[in-house]
Amino acid sequence: MIKDQQTYTILIIEDNPGDRLLVDTYLEESVLVPRITGVESYREAANLLEKRSDFDIILLDLSLPDMSGEELIKAVIDIAGNIPVVVLTGYSDVEFSRKSVKLGIADYLLKDDLTSSILYKSVIYSIERKKVFNQLEDSEKRYKDLFQLSPIPKWVYDLQNLKFLDANQAAVMTYGYSYEEFRQMSVKDLIPDEDLDMLKDTIQKVKETDKSTPRFSGEFRHRKKNGDIIVAETSSNYLEFDGKPARMMLANDITFKKKYVEAIEVQNAKLKDIAWIQSHVVRAPLARLMGLVNLLAEDEVTTEEKQTYTKLIMDSATELDTIIRDITEKTEQIDIKEI
Amino acid sequence: MKPEILIIDDEEVVLMLIKRLVVKTGLHNTPQLFTNGMEAITFIHEYNTKNQPFLVFLDINMPAFDGWEFLDMLNNTPLENQVNVIIITSSVNQSDKAKSKEFSEVIGYIEKPVTEEMMKEVRKIETIAPYFQ
């Protein structure tokens, strides 16, 4: 038999020296480098696992001097973390073996039936399966984190009755409702009464939207728990949640941004107003002044006329001065920091 | 027949300046002066003798009855007489210039100040050139 070249770090929890020897022998037959550590009680195992977590697998005998049976399985699963646990027992009890698998052990082997190849297969299979399982758990956690830890409020609602099925921390923070309160509410509870018709229209459109395309729903007014109204920019995506058609929605609070834009629009209007004054009011006396200067340059102008024109030029200049002061004053009043 | 010339501007000084140029360039010796569009409309209707053409130098920004209102009124009360309008404005807004093109009576658009050279060009405008030959 060709031996497995890989190194396996194995913890055996077994108090019977004969059984321990048997397991060691079987392992050495199929694995080139088994790095075996043996302990004889639950307490020893617990102490060891507190310090070390580098085991690839744990082989567990079900009757130890300080603990046994179901209680022992639960206790070992608890301290094993991500390490797969294979149970070795002298008793054949189908019901119990099924139950122990449910508790989280990787495999259940009868000592009487044990051979080198059965043990080897079980070890390899348990290690590989646990690896895949751990990866799956990691990726599920990652996706959950993406939803839960997102700084933007997100929730999932039932497309039929609009009830919230899930809500993230940012939603809880922004809206003031606890997670449990969200679960009792529906999307309608966030919408001010006067906007409910608009919500109805939107939901209708959402239901008609192709499931595979995300939908930008636009701006909505939302009511927080404390009664404050915020403006949220929302978009959503179809998903199935616990087998029900649902939407995952993202609601970005743009209240401040909107206020800022409005303030900029007001400022813009003021600046346009100033630009208008600039072209109409300023240019009038200026054009008059230029016309008068042209006149002064003519040869046939009498001294008396010259005096009249000079006075008119001065009047226009004074008017211009007043207008410019007015513009300066108005411009100084514009301050976007007022928001 | 030489057109009757009307000058409409809310500023007396500007009326005087434009009148000087009209007289000096020989367009007319006694142009009619108005400080608002309403008076000018009344004048046109009163001098509505057959075939008498009118040439109006029109300011746009006036406090009471402004240039646009004058043009609207002219369109609403059709005359058999030929009325041509040259806008003389202190505005340098492109939107004003664009708007003026919507009126068929408007045959010229001058940004103030008007110079003697500009006024000499007026008589060469195709629509009214025959009057001054």
Side-chain angles (χ1 to χ4, degrees), chain A residues 229-232 252-260 262:
Chain A
I229 300 285
I230 60 168
V231 181
N252 197 9
D253 182 355
I254 56 162
T255 316
F256 180 76
K257 191 171 104 182
K258 217 168 154 58
K259 272 190 191 154
Y260 197 75
E262 275 163 14

Side-chain angles (χ1 to χ4, degrees), chain A residues 122-158:
Chain A
S122 177
V123 166
I124 297 302
Y125 183 69
S126 298
I127 291 172
E128 289 308 314
R129 195 175 59 167
K130 191 76 181 173
K131 261 189 210 162
V132 173
F133 180 78
N134 289 345
Q135 276 171 1
L136 204 66
E137 219 177 26
D138 276 356
S139 105
E140 253 178 37
K141 186 179 180 308
R142 206 159 41 234
Y143 280 105
K144 216 172 162 162
D145 284 351
L146 277 179
F147 179 78
Q148 272 305 332
L149 304 179
S150 161
I152 296 169
K154 287 177 185 172
W155 53 71
V156 177
Y157 68 87
D158 188 317

Side-chain angles (χ1 to χ4, degrees), chain A residues 275-276 279-280 283-288 290-292 294-295 298 300-301 305 309 312 319, chain B residues 11 13-14 16-17 20-21 24 60-61 89-93 96 111-116:
Chain A
W276 192 88
S279 85
H280 288 81
R283 265 222 105 233
L286 180 66
R288 195 192 320 139
M290 288 157 87
L292 287 163
N294 281 341
L295 203 59
E298 284 177 14
E300 66 269 34
V301 179
E305 278 175 323
Y309 299 152
L312 289 172
E319 198 182 321
Chain B
E11 291 184 37
V13 179
V14 177
M16 180 271 284
L17 286 169
R20 262 188 84 105
L21 292 171
K24 199 174 179 192
I60 291 296
N61 297 303
T89 178
S90 57
S91 165
V92 285
N93 277 25
D96 283 337
E111 284 172 6
K112 289 177 186 174
V114 199
T115 61
E116 198 176 324

Side-chain angles (χ1 to χ4, degrees), chain A residues 79-90:
Chain A
I79 55 174
N82 283 334
I83 310 166
V85 179
V86 171
V87 165
L88 300 171
T89 177

Side-chain angles (χ1 to χ4, degrees), chain A residues 175-192:
Chain A
Y175 289 86
Y177 294 106
S178 68
Y179 175 77
E180 289 71 26
E181 283 170 318
F182 262 112
R183 289 303 306 273
Q184 300 298 316
M185 294 162 51
S186 93
V187 175
K188 283 182 192 160
D189 298 320
L190 289 187
I191 307 292

Side-chain angles (χ1 to χ4, degrees), chain A residues 180-248:
Chain A
E180 289 71 26
E181 283 170 318
F182 262 112
R183 289 303 306 273
Q184 300 298 316
M185 294 162 51
S186 93
V187 175
K188 283 182 192 160
D189 298 320
L190 289 187
I191 307 292
D193 295 345
E194 58 270 32
D195 292 355
L196 281 174
D197 283 343
M198 196 169 124
L199 175 73
K200 218 174 142 187
D201 291 349
T202 309
I203 295 291
Q204 192 51 43
K205 279 181 201 144
V206 163
K207 283 181 179 169
E208 289 161 10
T209 308
D210 178 27
K211 284 177 184 175
S212 59
T213 36
R215 189 172 188 285
F216 178 74
S217 309
E219 285 176 20
F220 268 91
R221 297 198 309 147
H222 284 169
R223 193 174 37 213
K224 299 209 279 193
K225 191 181 183 183
N226 66 10
D228 284 358
I229 300 285
I230 60 168
V231 181
E233 203 174 53
T234 61
S235 49
S236 68
N237 239 339
Y238 178 86
L239 86 162
E240 264 182 30
F241 196 91
D242 293 341
K244 283 184 270 188
R247 304 283 301 186
M248 178 160 90

